[in-house]
Amino acid sequence: MNFEPSAISPSDEDGLAKAARILLSGGLVALPTETVYGLAADATNDQAVAKIFAAKGRPSFNPLIAHVASLEDALALGHFTPAALALAKAFWAGPLTLVVPTRADCPVSLLARAGLDSLAIRIPAHPVALALLQTVKVPLAAPSANRSGHVSPTLARHVAEDLGQRLDLILDGGACTLGVESTILDCTGDMPLLLRPGGLTRHAIEALLQHPLALHTPAHSKTMQSEQAPLLAPGLMASHYAPRAKVRLNAKEALPGEAILDFGPSIPGPNSAPRLSLSPSGNLIEAAAQLFAALRQLDASGCPTIAIAPIPAHDLGEAINDRLARAAAPRSG
Ligand code: TXA
Ligand code: MG
């Protein structure tokens, strides 16, 4: 690791002021949110946004979320249907990203939008992220602060390990409380559709909408130009959130040589196996918060495979299983 530790700054007044200066001069700052750490740049600055793609090694067709400080700021960027507005009012600030049609005068860089006519927007529920957004007064484009396809960061140290000197400053806000990314809803049509399960549960969303939330499927893409269609389901990028080790899901027991990730009662396995638990008591909130850090830690043990105990699919389990399925998916290289 060739990282300069001096680039990690506490999120105090000085740190925030420095971060704001860097962002407004086109630099990159990693910042804590309630979900995961984000790699932020001024979303209205093409060159700054380009640096995000370069630092992450991210395919440039994958659009970024614009983070804003208030509902008013969000409304200046996109058109909100009544359902989108109700969702924003109910759940912002919080782990919910809404994809809405962009306003004609939307100042967010086309590069950040990957040329789409929709924009993903969220207000993060984290005092450091909000303070920074209020200071810079521009939307911040911020993907998770990991190299493209890798495990998302929930500690400042994770960012340092993954992105090293590819950014200008890391604001340390401690561990992310939620630990999985925001839930993403496509609100470009009449009915919101689920693009990515995440920190806000399906249950909470359906209770507000008063109807079941449909998953986005390719069939919905017919409203888009065909070459844009795959973007509608970013979750369909099968391999993602991947540690170096292979991942074996729903393991009832561990095989020799495997590291073990438990949930609830420990699964049987060799005594010598590196073992962590997402939540010994089987609590999904605790498990979500531990997920990415645990994958990183077991990966560091050098085991070729991580065996992961079954995790129920309800509540935050939907997002956890989504991330694990992609960590386990075949990789292109
Ligand atoms: O919790 C989170 O959402 C974190 C924190 C940092 O805010 N951010 C995050 O960003 O997870 P990222 O870039 O890792 O994931 C954003 C996802 C991508 O899969 C992208 O394809 C999708 O949002 N996305 C962005 N704009 C979109 C759009 N206009 N239409 C459909 N999907 C979009
Ligand atoms: Mg990500």
mmCIF file with all atom_site columns, all heavy atoms in Angstrom, residues 67-85:
data_model
loop_
_atom_site.group_PDB
_atom_site.id
_atom_site.type_symbol
_atom_site.label_atom_id
_atom_site.label_alt_id
_atom_site.label_comp_id
_atom_site.label_asym_id
_atom_site.label_entity_id
_atom_site.label_seq_id
_atom_site.pdbx_PDB_ins_code
_atom_site.Cartn_x
_atom_site.Cartn_y
_atom_site.Cartn_z
_atom_site.occupancy
_atom_site.B_iso_or_equiv
_atom_site.pdbx_formal_charge
_atom_site.auth_seq_id
_atom_site.auth_comp_id
_atom_site.auth_asym_id
_atom_site.auth_atom_id
_atom_site.pdbx_PDB_model_num
ATOM 1   N N   . HIS A 1 67 ? -25.445 14.006 -5.064  1.00 0.00 ? 67 HIS A N   1
ATOM 2   C CA  . HIS A 1 67 ? -25.833 14.204 -3.672  1.00 0.00 ? 67 HIS A CA  1
ATOM 3   C C   . HIS A 1 67 ? -26.121 15.684 -3.450  1.00 0.00 ? 67 HIS A C   1
ATOM 4   O O   . HIS A 1 67 ? -25.325 16.530 -3.886  1.00 0.00 ? 67 HIS A O   1
ATOM 5   C CB  . HIS A 1 67 ? -24.715 13.740 -2.735  1.00 0.00 ? 67 HIS A CB  1
ATOM 6   C CG  . HIS A 1 67 ? -24.435 12.269 -2.829  1.00 0.00 ? 67 HIS A CG  1
ATOM 7   N ND1 . HIS A 1 67 ? -23.861 11.695 -3.944  1.00 0.00 ? 67 HIS A ND1 1
ATOM 8   C CD2 . HIS A 1 67 ? -24.662 11.257 -1.947  1.00 0.00 ? 67 HIS A CD2 1
ATOM 9   C CE1 . HIS A 1 67 ? -23.753 10.380 -3.751  1.00 0.00 ? 67 HIS A CE1 1
ATOM 10  N NE2 . HIS A 1 67 ? -24.232 10.091 -2.546  1.00 0.00 ? 67 HIS A NE2 1
ATOM 11  N N   . VAL A 1 68 ? -27.229 15.977 -2.806  1.00 0.00 ? 68 VAL A N   1
ATOM 12  C CA  . VAL A 1 68 ? -27.593 17.367 -2.554  1.00 0.00 ? 68 VAL A CA  1
ATOM 13  C C   . VAL A 1 68 ? -27.942 17.546 -1.082  1.00 0.00 ? 68 VAL A C   1
ATOM 14  O O   . VAL A 1 68 ? -28.137 16.562 -0.349  1.00 0.00 ? 68 VAL A O   1
ATOM 15  C CB  . VAL A 1 68 ? -28.784 17.808 -3.438  1.00 0.00 ? 68 VAL A CB  1
ATOM 16  C CG1 . VAL A 1 68 ? -28.397 17.810 -4.914  1.00 0.00 ? 68 VAL A CG1 1
ATOM 17  C CG2 . VAL A 1 68 ? -30.004 16.935 -3.203  1.00 0.00 ? 68 VAL A CG2 1
ATOM 18  N N   . ALA A 1 69 ? -28.039 18.845 -0.661  1.00 0.00 ? 69 ALA A N   1
ATOM 19  C CA  . ALA A 1 69 ? -28.241 19.140 0.760   1.00 0.00 ? 69 ALA A CA  1
ATOM 20  C C   . ALA A 1 69 ? -29.709 19.250 1.139   1.00 0.00 ? 69 ALA A C   1
ATOM 21  O O   . ALA A 1 69 ? -30.059 19.113 2.310   1.00 0.00 ? 69 ALA A O   1
ATOM 22  C CB  . ALA A 1 69 ? -27.522 20.443 1.111   1.00 0.00 ? 69 ALA A CB  1
ATOM 23  N N   . SER A 1 70 ? -30.583 19.506 0.160   1.00 0.00 ? 70 SER A N   1
ATOM 24  C CA  . SER A 1 70 ? -31.983 19.757 0.521   1.00 0.00 ? 70 SER A CA  1
ATOM 25  C C   . SER A 1 70 ? -32.917 19.329 -0.604  1.00 0.00 ? 70 SER A C   1
ATOM 26  O O   . SER A 1 70 ? -32.493 19.162 -1.754  1.00 0.00 ? 70 SER A O   1
ATOM 27  C CB  . SER A 1 70 ? -32.189 21.252 0.772   1.00 0.00 ? 70 SER A CB  1
ATOM 28  O OG  . SER A 1 70 ? -32.014 21.960 -0.448  1.00 0.00 ? 70 SER A OG  1
ATOM 29  N N   . LEU A 1 71 ? -34.187 19.194 -0.261  1.00 0.00 ? 71 LEU A N   1
ATOM 30  C CA  . LEU A 1 71 ? -35.195 18.850 -1.264  1.00 0.00 ? 71 LEU A CA  1
ATOM 31  C C   . LEU A 1 71 ? -35.258 19.936 -2.331  1.00 0.00 ? 71 LEU A C   1
ATOM 32  O O   . LEU A 1 71 ? -35.387 19.656 -3.525  1.00 0.00 ? 71 LEU A O   1
ATOM 33  C CB  . LEU A 1 71 ? -36.563 18.677 -0.570  1.00 0.00 ? 71 LEU A CB  1
ATOM 34  C CG  . LEU A 1 71 ? -37.732 18.300 -1.473  1.00 0.00 ? 71 LEU A CG  1
ATOM 35  C CD1 . LEU A 1 71 ? -37.456 17.012 -2.236  1.00 0.00 ? 71 LEU A CD1 1
ATOM 36  C CD2 . LEU A 1 71 ? -39.015 18.155 -0.659  1.00 0.00 ? 71 LEU A CD2 1
ATOM 37  N N   . GLU A 1 72 ? -35.130 21.173 -1.885  1.00 0.00 ? 72 GLU A N   1
ATOM 38  C CA  . GLU A 1 72 ? -35.148 22.293 -2.837  1.00 0.00 ? 72 GLU A CA  1
ATOM 39  C C   . GLU A 1 72 ? -34.027 22.126 -3.880  1.00 0.00 ? 72 GLU A C   1
ATOM 40  O O   . GLU A 1 72 ? -34.246 22.314 -5.080  1.00 0.00 ? 72 GLU A O   1
ATOM 41  C CB  . GLU A 1 72 ? -34.928 23.576 -2.029  1.00 0.00 ? 72 GLU A CB  1
ATOM 42  C CG  . GLU A 1 72 ? -35.275 24.832 -2.744  1.00 0.00 ? 72 GLU A CG  1
ATOM 43  C CD  . GLU A 1 72 ? -34.819 26.057 -1.943  1.00 0.00 ? 72 GLU A CD  1
ATOM 44  O OE1 . GLU A 1 72 ? -34.541 25.929 -0.719  1.00 0.00 ? 72 GLU A OE1 1
ATOM 45  O OE2 . GLU A 1 72 ? -34.715 27.110 -2.571  1.00 0.00 ? 72 GLU A OE2 1
ATOM 46  N N   . ASP A 1 73 ? -32.861 21.776 -3.412  1.00 0.00 ? 73 ASP A N   1
ATOM 47  C CA  . ASP A 1 73 ? -31.740 21.566 -4.350  1.00 0.00 ? 73 ASP A CA  1
ATOM 48  C C   . ASP A 1 73 ? -32.043 20.410 -5.303  1.00 0.00 ? 73 ASP A C   1
ATOM 49  O O   . ASP A 1 73 ? -31.680 20.449 -6.481  1.00 0.00 ? 73 ASP A O   1
ATOM 50  C CB  . ASP A 1 73 ? -30.444 21.247 -3.585  1.00 0.00 ? 73 ASP A CB  1
ATOM 51  C CG  . ASP A 1 73 ? -29.944 22.442 -2.788  1.00 0.00 ? 73 ASP A CG  1
ATOM 52  O OD1 . ASP A 1 73 ? -30.460 23.555 -3.013  1.00 0.00 ? 73 ASP A OD1 1
ATOM 53  O OD2 . ASP A 1 73 ? -29.050 22.255 -1.937  1.00 0.00 ? 73 ASP A OD2 1
ATOM 54  N N   . ALA A 1 74 ? -32.700 19.378 -4.789  1.00 0.00 ? 74 ALA A N   1
ATOM 55  C CA  . ALA A 1 74 ? -33.031 18.224 -5.643  1.00 0.00 ? 74 ALA A CA  1
ATOM 56  C C   . ALA A 1 74 ? -34.042 18.626 -6.712  1.00 0.00 ? 74 ALA A C   1
ATOM 57  O O   . ALA A 1 74 ? -33.928 18.235 -7.877  1.00 0.00 ? 74 ALA A O   1
ATOM 58  C CB  . ALA A 1 74 ? -33.595 17.087 -4.785  1.00 0.00 ? 74 ALA A CB  1
ATOM 59  N N   . LEU A 1 75 ? -35.025 19.426 -6.312  1.00 0.00 ? 75 LEU A N   1
ATOM 60  C CA  . LEU A 1 75 ? -36.079 19.816 -7.256  1.00 0.00 ? 75 LEU A CA  1
ATOM 61  C C   . LEU A 1 75 ? -35.535 20.695 -8.375  1.00 0.00 ? 75 LEU A C   1
ATOM 62  O O   . LEU A 1 75 ? -36.123 20.788 -9.452  1.00 0.00 ? 75 LEU A O   1
ATOM 63  C CB  . LEU A 1 75 ? -37.211 20.544 -6.511  1.00 0.00 ? 75 LEU A CB  1
ATOM 64  C CG  . LEU A 1 75 ? -37.962 19.696 -5.472  1.00 0.00 ? 75 LEU A CG  1
ATOM 65  C CD1 . LEU A 1 75 ? -39.021 20.520 -4.742  1.00 0.00 ? 75 LEU A CD1 1
ATOM 66  C CD2 . LEU A 1 75 ? -38.606 18.475 -6.121  1.00 0.00 ? 75 LEU A CD2 1
ATOM 67  N N   . ALA A 1 76 ? -34.400 21.334 -8.117  1.00 0.00 ? 76 ALA A N   1
ATOM 68  C CA  . ALA A 1 76 ? -33.775 22.169 -9.154  1.00 0.00 ? 76 ALA A CA  1
ATOM 69  C C   . ALA A 1 76 ? -33.092 21.317 -10.225 1.00 0.00 ? 76 ALA A C   1
ATOM 70  O O   . ALA A 1 76 ? -32.766 21.812 -11.296 1.00 0.00 ? 76 ALA A O   1
ATOM 71  C CB  . ALA A 1 76 ? -32.759 23.114 -8.509  1.00 0.00 ? 76 ALA A CB  1
ATOM 72  N N   . LEU A 1 77 ? -32.876 20.041 -9.927  1.00 0.00 ? 77 LEU A N   1
ATOM 73  C CA  . LEU A 1 77 ? -32.147 19.179 -10.862 1.00 0.00 ? 77 LEU A CA  1
ATOM 74  C C   . LEU A 1 77 ? -33.063 18.313 -11.714 1.00 0.00 ? 77 LEU A C   1
ATOM 75  O O   . LEU A 1 77 ? -32.729 17.976 -12.848 1.00 0.00 ? 77 LEU A O   1
ATOM 76  C CB  . LEU A 1 77 ? -31.190 18.265 -10.093 1.00 0.00 ? 77 LEU A CB  1
ATOM 77  C CG  . LEU A 1 77 ? -30.144 18.932 -9.205  1.00 0.00 ? 77 LEU A CG  1
ATOM 78  C CD1 . LEU A 1 77 ? -29.286 17.876 -8.508  1.00 0.00 ? 77 LEU A CD1 1
ATOM 79  C CD2 . LEU A 1 77 ? -29.270 19.872 -10.026 1.00 0.00 ? 77 LEU A CD2 1
ATOM 80  N N   . GLY A 1 78 ? -34.207 17.892 -11.124 1.00 0.00 ? 78 GLY A N   1
ATOM 81  C CA  . GLY A 1 78 ? -35.030 16.917 -11.831 1.00 0.00 ? 78 GLY A CA  1
ATOM 82  C C   . GLY A 1 78 ? -36.515 17.167 -11.651 1.00 0.00 ? 78 GLY A C   1
ATOM 83  O O   . GLY A 1 78 ? -36.933 17.978 -10.818 1.00 0.00 ? 78 GLY A O   1
ATOM 84  N N   . HIS A 1 79 ? -37.298 16.444 -12.455 1.00 0.00 ? 79 HIS A N   1
ATOM 85  C CA  . HIS A 1 79 ? -38.760 16.509 -12.378 1.00 0.00 ? 79 HIS A CA  1
ATOM 86  C C   . HIS A 1 79 ? -39.245 15.378 -11.480 1.00 0.00 ? 79 HIS A C   1
ATOM 87  O O   . HIS A 1 79 ? -38.947 14.211 -11.744 1.00 0.00 ? 79 HIS A O   1
ATOM 88  C CB  . HIS A 1 79 ? -39.383 16.347 -13.765 1.00 0.00 ? 79 HIS A CB  1
ATOM 89  C CG  . HIS A 1 79 ? -39.028 17.455 -14.701 1.00 0.00 ? 79 HIS A CG  1
ATOM 90  N ND1 . HIS A 1 79 ? -39.552 18.721 -14.599 1.00 0.00 ? 79 HIS A ND1 1
ATOM 91  C CD2 . HIS A 1 79 ? -38.184 17.488 -15.766 1.00 0.00 ? 79 HIS A CD2 1
ATOM 92  C CE1 . HIS A 1 79 ? -39.059 19.491 -15.556 1.00 0.00 ? 79 HIS A CE1 1
ATOM 93  N NE2 . HIS A 1 79 ? -38.219 18.766 -16.276 1.00 0.00 ? 79 HIS A NE2 1
ATOM 94  N N   . PHE A 1 80 ? -40.010 15.713 -10.464 1.00 0.00 ? 80 PHE A N   1
ATOM 95  C CA  . PHE A 1 80 ? -40.489 14.713 -9.513  1.00 0.00 ? 80 PHE A CA  1
ATOM 96  C C   . PHE A 1 80 ? -41.981 14.450 -9.731  1.00 0.00 ? 80 PHE A C   1
ATOM 97  O O   . PHE A 1 80 ? -42.788 15.382 -9.692  1.00 0.00 ? 80 PHE A O   1
ATOM 98  C CB  . PHE A 1 80 ? -40.252 15.187 -8.075  1.00 0.00 ? 80 PHE A CB  1
ATOM 99  C CG  . PHE A 1 80 ? -38.817 15.054 -7.636  1.00 0.00 ? 80 PHE A CG  1
ATOM 100 C CD1 . PHE A 1 80 ? -37.804 15.768 -8.270  1.00 0.00 ? 80 PHE A CD1 1
ATOM 101 C CD2 . PHE A 1 80 ? -38.470 14.196 -6.602  1.00 0.00 ? 80 PHE A CD2 1
ATOM 102 C CE1 . PHE A 1 80 ? -36.475 15.633 -7.877  1.00 0.00 ? 80 PHE A CE1 1
ATOM 103 C CE2 . PHE A 1 80 ? -37.142 14.049 -6.201  1.00 0.00 ? 80 PHE A CE2 1
ATOM 104 C CZ  . PHE A 1 80 ? -36.150 14.765 -6.843  1.00 0.00 ? 80 PHE A CZ  1
ATOM 105 N N   . THR A 1 81 ? -42.343 13.184 -9.948  1.00 0.00 ? 81 THR A N   1
ATOM 106 C CA  . THR A 1 81 ? -43.755 12.812 -9.981  1.00 0.00 ? 81 THR A CA  1
ATOM 107 C C   . THR A 1 81 ? -44.290 12.936 -8.553  1.00 0.00 ? 81 THR A C   1
ATOM 108 O O   . THR A 1 81 ? -43.503 13.000 -7.592  1.00 0.00 ? 81 THR A O   1
ATOM 109 C CB  . THR A 1 81 ? -43.924 11.349 -10.433 1.00 0.00 ? 81 THR A CB  1
ATOM 110 O OG1 . THR A 1 81 ? -43.202 10.518 -9.506  1.00 0.00 ? 81 THR A OG1 1
ATOM 111 C CG2 . THR A 1 81 ? -43.406 11.125 -11.847 1.00 0.00 ? 81 THR A CG2 1
ATOM 112 N N   . PRO A 1 82 ? -45.625 12.926 -8.383  1.00 0.00 ? 82 PRO A N   1
ATOM 113 C CA  . PRO A 1 82 ? -46.169 12.961 -7.015  1.00 0.00 ? 82 PRO A CA  1
ATOM 114 C C   . PRO A 1 82 ? -45.604 11.834 -6.144  1.00 0.00 ? 82 PRO A C   1
ATOM 115 O O   . PRO A 1 82 ? -45.284 12.051 -4.978  1.00 0.00 ? 82 PRO A O   1
ATOM 116 C CB  . PRO A 1 82 ? -47.679 12.814 -7.235  1.00 0.00 ? 82 PRO A CB  1
ATOM 117 C CG  . PRO A 1 82 ? -47.908 13.375 -8.614  1.00 0.00 ? 82 PRO A CG  1
ATOM 118 C CD  . PRO A 1 82 ? -46.685 13.036 -9.407  1.00 0.00 ? 82 PRO A CD  1
ATOM 119 N N   . ALA A 1 83 ? -45.448 10.648 -6.720  1.00 0.00 ? 83 ALA A N   1
ATOM 120 C CA  . ALA A 1 83 ? -44.905 9.533  -5.927  1.00 0.00 ? 83 ALA A CA  1
ATOM 121 C C   . ALA A 1 83 ? -43.455 9.806  -5.529  1.00 0.00 ? 83 ALA A C   1
ATOM 122 O O   . ALA A 1 83 ? -43.057 9.558  -4.386  1.00 0.00 ? 83 ALA A O   1
ATOM 123 C CB  . ALA A 1 83 ? -44.995 8.229  -6.717  1.00 0.00 ? 83 ALA A CB  1
ATOM 124 N N   . ALA A 1 84 ? -42.678 10.335 -6.462  1.00 0.00 ? 84 ALA A N   1
ATOM 125 C CA  . ALA A 1 84 ? -41.273 10.627 -6.165  1.00 0.00 ? 84 ALA A CA  1
ATOM 126 C C   . ALA A 1 84 ? -41.184 11.683 -5.065  1.00 0.00 ? 84 ALA A C   1
ATOM 127 O O   . ALA A 1 84 ? -40.361 11.578 -4.146  1.00 0.00 ? 84 ALA A O   1
ATOM 128 C CB  . ALA A 1 84 ? -40.551 11.097 -7.424  1.00 0.00 ? 84 ALA A CB  1
ATOM 129 N N   . LEU A 1 85 ? -42.049 12.666 -5.153  1.00 0.00 ? 85 LEU A N   1
ATOM 130 C CA  . LEU A 1 85 ? -42.032 13.735 -4.149  1.00 0.00 ? 85 LEU A CA  1
ATOM 131 C C   . LEU A 1 85 ? -42.405 13.185 -2.770  1.00 0.00 ? 85 LEU A C   1
ATOM 132 O O   . LEU A 1 85 ? -41.782 13.512 -1.755  1.00 0.00 ? 85 LEU A O   1
ATOM 133 C CB  . LEU A 1 85 ? -43.001 14.844 -4.573  1.00 0.00 ? 85 LEU A CB  1
ATOM 134 C CG  . LEU A 1 85 ? -42.871 16.163 -3.834  1.00 0.00 ? 85 LEU A CG  1
ATOM 135 C CD1 . LEU A 1 85 ? -41.456 16.731 -3.975  1.00 0.00 ? 85 LEU A CD1 1
ATOM 136 C CD2 . LEU A 1 85 ? -43.896 17.169 -4.361  1.00 0.00 ? 85 LEU A CD2 1
#
